[in-house]
Amino acid sequence: MSRPAQRTGRRSTPRGALRFAAAVCAVLCLCAPARAAYERPKPPPWIPARYLGTLMRVDSLGQTSRPDAAIALVGPILREARAGGDPRFLALLLRMQGDLNIRAGRPKAAEPALREAIVLARAQRDSAMLARATRFLAITRGQQGDRAGAIALYRELLAIGIARGDRSSEGYARTGLGLAALEAGDLVNARAEYERADALLSAIGDHRGELDALTGTGRVFRALGEYDRARECWRRVITVAHANDLPWNEAHGWNNLGGLEFSLGDPGTAVRDYRKAYELHRSIGSGPDAIIPLINIALAEQHLGQLDDALATLDETLALCRLRGFRGLEASALLNLGNTRAQQGHLRESAGEYRAVRVLGDTASTKDRVEAMLGLARVLVRQDSAAAALAMMDRELVALGRALPADLRPAVDRGRAAVLLALGRTSEALASGLAADRGAERLGLVRVRMPALDVVARCERVLGRPERALAAARQAVAIWEEQRGAPLDPEWRAQRGADGRGLSALLAELMLEDPTLAGPSERVRAAFDAIQRFKARALHERMIGPGDPAGVHMTGTTTLAILQRRSLADHELLLDLFAGTDVSFLFAVTRDSCRVVRLPGEDTLATRLRLYHDLIASPPRAGESGGAIERAAGERLGTLLFGEVADLIQASRRVVFALDGTFNLIPPASLSLPATVGRAAEPLLVSDELVLVPSATALAMLRDRARQPARAGAAFRILALAGTRRPNGDALAGATSEVGHLASRYQAVDARTGLGLDGLSVDDLAHYDVLHLAAHTVVDDQHPWRSGIQLAADTSGEVSCLRASRIAGLRLGAQLAVLSGCESAGGRILSGEGVQGLSAAFLSTGVPTVVATLWPVDDRATATLMDDFYAALQHGASAAAALRDAQSRAMRRPATRQPFYWAGFVLIGDGDVHIPMRPRPIGALPIAIAVGTAIGVAWLAASRRRASGPGRGSSVIPSAGERLIP
């Protein structure tokens, strides 16, 4: 959200104790060049001397974001002036009162005083005052959504300026007309007006006005899609404003630059720019101007899914608005609070915030009122109150009347269509949806067209016109793919991917019903291929990682035919799960068949999946060993999800899961199929190797990728790191055991523990063939790419944290990465590429196989499981078979029978990778015994010191003082 551009030309007050004369001259708009403000002319004689001190105080309060206090001082003077003062002085006070109300964010309250000032100025034939008051009245009309009224006033100001030869008034008039043309979509005239204003105002040395015009020119270039030129304009604004000590304009430049980066999909950079704008505004006490960047920050955080951060920012914003009386901006903060709470699923709280916007009435902008209306309608529909939603919309639209801007009409039509469809009034909904699409296309509102076409497709489907429904859905998907692009920030790309989930599910539904396709098998094939376009695009963007995606191209989306012909083995079954909002799909694919199963939507399944995850991920209480509750829950969930394809699972030797959305919470190894005659219910782990992939396209890519051959005569190089438990440097006993055991049993192991990481750089990771990282991991669900592995702590307690964003930018040659810390596969669930975070980061570097964990693991049980895993690799097992063997052994041990100890380990990527682990020669046995004994002593000592429970548990997000490995 960009700052309202109508509020141009605000002057910052010169510093110094004797600045009042210059401030009065600016207030009176004597149209002198900006340098005259520093020449300290005498105030006009018709200003009574007894008021000079008070007016100086008024000016100071207005400039330091205390407009209400300033208005309180003006009030008594204004009453005295009405009783018999000079009409020119009265006009000045009225103009000041109007300006102060604008500063306070109350344009409607400013209007009466400005209109009276205009009447007085005309009576006195004071063209300077007339120009000044007219200009501010135009600003108020624009802020209230009266574009026609603002244009008329700017044209009047233009005529005054030309008649007087007043280049200042003409320049500001042309700036306002440029804004009006820009908002109307007339980019040619907008650019011409802004460039003429720039020339006029720069000629008289009015840098503030010049920068306002230059800012507008940047907005035109942005609307034209000339983003580099827009960026150049706003960087020039920042440079010129900084050089001339104009912090308000500099802050405005940063805010607009942030808005550009946000729209281009780089919200990380946008937030940094917004914060610079906020700090500048706060340093000069800019009042409501300081609120705009805060709201923009919250908006970026909300779109990224960083909802806790967004709520904190909005709470701060709302408190500032209420403290300062910024009612209009309070409405914007409330609106964004409502949106954020709705995104969290807190519908009652969300509805309360939307209603609070409507209670503010005319103090809220028309745009905020309309968006609050639409948000409340969506919430009411989700609460099964569609009739109440429609009645509310009808009342609000009647109240708005002709004040509803044309550019908001398509969104209103689309919202109304969704409500009508929920009520079963399908024909009316279709008409409203088509109107929304036509209006959005005419105005170039691409982001509105996609949801409008979505509702059109749903209406056509209900009306029994599948061909029309399919055409509308395909058109919407095409718009989504075009707009999604490949932004710089990976979280932003993922969020855009999530936006298309409901649309992709609808397209699959329509494909399964398409009467033009020959038979059920062709329809299933078409639906599968359609969903892979969505999931493959998400995979591609995940593999790009953070940074510039230039030069990175998709290798193509896999299809069912390619997958069956080239990617799947005879003994393999692919279970591809797609989570839709209203309906989910399970595609069960073998080399010669494809079966589709409809499952409940993600909204229905989410709670159940989370409850099961929490049950399995919780360590057993003392004395618990049976695990009967966990087994029963695993059988119920396994039957729900996979019961209809149980025969295919039982006939396979390896099951490959392509999970999606909330399905990523599933630990597949712990799920069971229903018992049958002659076959008891048992975990999938017992009968099958289990592998996870981000998507079917990922599986195809992994199978097509050339494997690096083992180097003849030498073992793979293994880097084994044991990180620290806490920043105090205490080692994890089990992690130390893992590393020590690897070093004692196998050749070419570079073992490093705790403080022994000195001299290791991130770039050195590329020289190893196996990366074993037994360390505490920090998972940040709100910022997945900030997740990291805490590798060491130095003597000062500063932690070396290798973050996912850094990993994803590497190109590694390793064939296997083992992340045996806590929740290393965890992260915020958004889109079809699977769980974000550390595991995805390693896959994006080119590592084909990652072993990771879904929850905080037990330290000692993990050490034993890892020993078994590497022993199986040594004996020639594939990575998938080795993990299955290690988990099966853990499941058979009485002490680790419960799924908590073994089900959280997952293999992501290529399960066929073989690692030639070479044991140490027998001559090394004495050394190995000594090393093992030392490690065992250290382990026992550390075990006595540490508290009970999982040793590698989650922590809070690291502080800003943490550093990366150099």
Side-chain angles (χ1 to χ4, degrees), residues 45 53 63 98 126 132 151 155 224 228 231 237 289 337 366 534 596 619 664 679 770 776 787 793 835 840 842:
Q63 295 291 341
D126 186 345
R132 186 77 169 179
I151 291 173
R155 285 175 178 163
L224 289 169
D228 289 338
R231 189 181 285 111
V237 168
D289 297 319
L337 270 173
T366 303
F534 169 80
V596 63
N664 283 293
R679 183 185 180 102
V770 175
H776 182 81
S787 299
V835 179
F842 275 99

Side-chain angles (χ1 to χ4, degrees), residues 66 92 94 149 196 203 233 238 287 362 404 427 458 498 559 712 869 924 949:
R66 299 179 63 189
L92 167 64
L94 289 166
R196 179 63 179 148
C233 282
I238 293 167
D362 292 343
L404 179 64
S427 297
R458 295 179 189 277
T559 64
F869 173 69

Side-chain angles (χ1 to χ4, degrees), residues 595-617:
R595 193 183 303 175
V596 63
V597 178
R598 285 179 174 84
L599 297 172
E602 188 172 31
D603 290 347
T604 302
L605 285 175
T607 300
R608 185 164 184 175
L609 292 173
R610 287 191 174 92
L611 287 173
Y612 178 73
H613 178 276
D614 292 345
L615 173 66
I616 300 298

